[in-house]
Amino acid sequence: GRAKPYFSFGNTVHLSLKQFFEGVQTGKEPSLDDLKATYHENWQNEGYVIPSQEQNYRRDGETALEAFYRRYQSAKIVPLHLEWKFTLPVGAHFITGYVDRIDALGDGVCAVIDYKTGKPRTQKDVDADLQLSMYALAVRECLGLRADRLSLHFLQTDEIISTTRTDTQLSEVVEHVLSVAEAISARKFEANPDGFKCGRCDYAVIC
């Protein structure tokens, strides 16, 4: 499908924060100006319909990074992992994914942070988020760490919504993944309409 502005924007912001924290990991203290310069160097202009739309996104991104930097200044986090890629075995299947950031909390405990450039979700949504559950499972199985805090950081509104997962909940996730994998293997692809997801799907017109 055609490039979408929110994908270009999200990719720009994610890459910029990764590079920012890579500097932090090497002992540097990047300034806000450094972060903004990285952001503009990484700017992806695919998908914007008119110049004013691109300018609005660019400005929103700068505002979001200013808020992000204020948070960084108050905590001075040095991440354990950035864009951590995992391959998680679940039964006879393998789940691959990326975690934006993992922070060490000590004693085998960590915090998982996933950046979001879209609209904030509710606490209820975050508590039920399958992606965060997979991250917690991957961190436990692949790194031997317990994710004590799973957070979605909504950058444009500077909101962080956190949740947790118990071992029981993670066991239920494994069962869910196995059932989905079996359905895929059996080529069962029933439509599951969702107003938010369908509105952004290139296949909505033929679904």
Side-chain angles (χ1 to χ4, degrees), residues 99 112 131-141 145-147 150 164-165 170:
V99 178
V112 168
Q131 187 176 34
L132 288 179
S133 298
M134 294 305 304
Y135 291 167
L137 191 61
V139 162
R140 187 185 72 180
E141 299 301 315
L145 297 174
R146 179 169 60 85
L150 303 160
T164 58
R165 295 291 185 274
L170 294 184

Side-chain angles (χ1 to χ4, degrees), residues 1-4 202-203:
R2 194 183 66 187
K4 303 292 195 302
D202 291 328
Y203 300 97

Side-chain angles (χ1 to χ4, degrees), residues 17-71:
L17 292 179
K18 176 178 181 284
Q19 292 176 348
F20 171 81
F21 274 121
E22 284 174 341
V24 171
Q25 286 179 323
T26 63
K28 298 177 183 177
E29 282 216 18
S31 66
L32 176 58
D33 286 342
D34 291 332
L35 177 56
K36 286 185 176 181
T38 299
Y39 168 68
H40 290 299
E41 288 168 8
N42 288 328
W43 186 257
Q44 299 177 15
N45 59 9
E46 295 87 357
Y48 297 100
V49 179
I50 54 175
S52 61
Q53 182 189 39
E54 184 175 353
Q55 290 164 8
N56 288 338
Y57 267 96
R58 216 184 244 268
R59 186 175 60 248
D60 287 349
E62 279 206 356
T63 301
L65 293 180
E66 289 167 1
F68 183 91
Y69 192 81
R70 285 194 294 271
R71 282 188 182 271

Side-chain angles (χ1 to χ4, degrees), residues 78-147:
V78 180
L80 181 65
H81 293 287
L82 297 169
E83 288 285 328
W84 176 65
K85 182 180 180 180
F86 64 85
T87 300
L88 174 69
V90 181
H93 310 279
F94 292 90
I95 307 296
T96 300
Y98 290 86
V99 178
D100 288 337
R101 197 176 98 216
I102 301 174
D103 297 341
L105 299 180
D107 297 323
V109 178
C110 69
V112 168
I113 299 93
D114 192 38
Y115 303 129
K116 296 295 182 185
T117 50
K119 295 180 180 179
R121 301 180 198 165
T122 65
Q123 183 69 57
K124 183 178 179 181
D125 289 337
V126 176
D127 288 340
D129 189 272
L130 178 61
Q131 187 176 34
L132 288 179
S133 298
M134 294 305 304
Y135 291 167
L137 191 61
V139 162
R140 187 185 72 180
E141 299 301 315
C142 301
L143 295 178
L145 297 174
R146 179 169 60 85

